[in-house]
Amino acid sequence: RYLGIFLVALMFALGRVFKNELAAFGKINVIIAAFAALATLIVIVVPVHELLHLLVMSKGKLDDKCIISAGGGAVSALYNGHLSRSRYLVCLVTPCVVLAAVFALAVILSYGLFRLYFIYLLIMSCVSSYTDIYMFFYLLRHIGKDKIIFGIYKKKM
């Protein structure tokens, strides 16, 4: 809920900071690039983000223990198995790091309006990973090194 408001405010603030550079594209093109990036984030980036979580959690074996849940405005990757603390920490940061690297490379290799599109995607992807980053630091502080993290998710009958 608040993430969308934050993203709009961030994009508006960045637009004000870089208004001279953005003026070269024209207002309509800047808005189109922003909406295209938002649509790409929702349709492609979020599912890939959750899939990256599952690949790390399941050690690359996507099976019946892997669940992607969507509902209530959120998409979550769930794993019905045991995870070590270190594997869970890696699982939390992998999507942010991988997607940031891919989008940063795309920004470097592209130009013009495509560069703006990938900048939007980079920012939105990193900002939308805020809960993963928060949980990473929470686990570092509050969960002991020898603890095992596990989940059991049962279907409602």
Side-chain angles (χ1 to χ4, degrees), residues 9 33 64 66 80 90 111 115 122 124:
D64 61 344
C66 300
N80 189 9
V90 170
Y111 59 92
R115 178 174 281 170
L122 175 64
M124 286 190 268

Side-chain angles (χ1 to χ4, degrees), residues 1 10-11 22 30 38 44 54 58 62 82 85 89 95 98 100-102 116-117 121 128 131 135 137:
R1 200 176 321 180
L10 178 66
M11 292 301 165
L22 293 174
V30 170
L38 183 61
I44 297 171
L54 283 178
S58 66
L62 297 176
H82 297 274
R85 176 181 177 257
L89 288 171
V98 168
V102 167
L116 182 63
Y117 167 77
L121 272 176
S128 63
T131 55
M135 283 303 298
F137 288 109

Side-chain angles (χ1 to χ4, degrees), residues 82-151:
H82 297 274
L83 293 171
S84 67
R85 176 181 177 257
S86 60
R87 178 168 297 284
Y88 193 57
L89 288 171
V90 170
C91 160
L92 286 171
V93 297
T94 297
C96 185
V97 170
V98 168
L99 292 173
V102 167
F103 292 138
L105 182 64
V107 167
I108 291 167
L109 296 176
S110 62
Y111 59 92
L113 203 53
F114 285 109
R115 178 174 281 170
L116 182 63
Y117 167 77
F118 286 118
I119 289 171
Y120 282 149
L121 272 176
L122 175 64
I123 293 168
M124 286 190 268
S125 176
C126 289
V127 170
S128 63
S129 296
Y130 77 96
T131 55
D132 296 332
I133 304 305
Y134 171 81
M135 283 303 298
F136 176 84
F137 288 109
Y138 180 86
L139 286 172
L140 278 177
R141 183 176 171 121
H142 296 287
I143 305 295
K145 291 180 181 178
D146 58 340
K147 301 295 181 190
I148 302 248
I149 300 166
F150 65 93

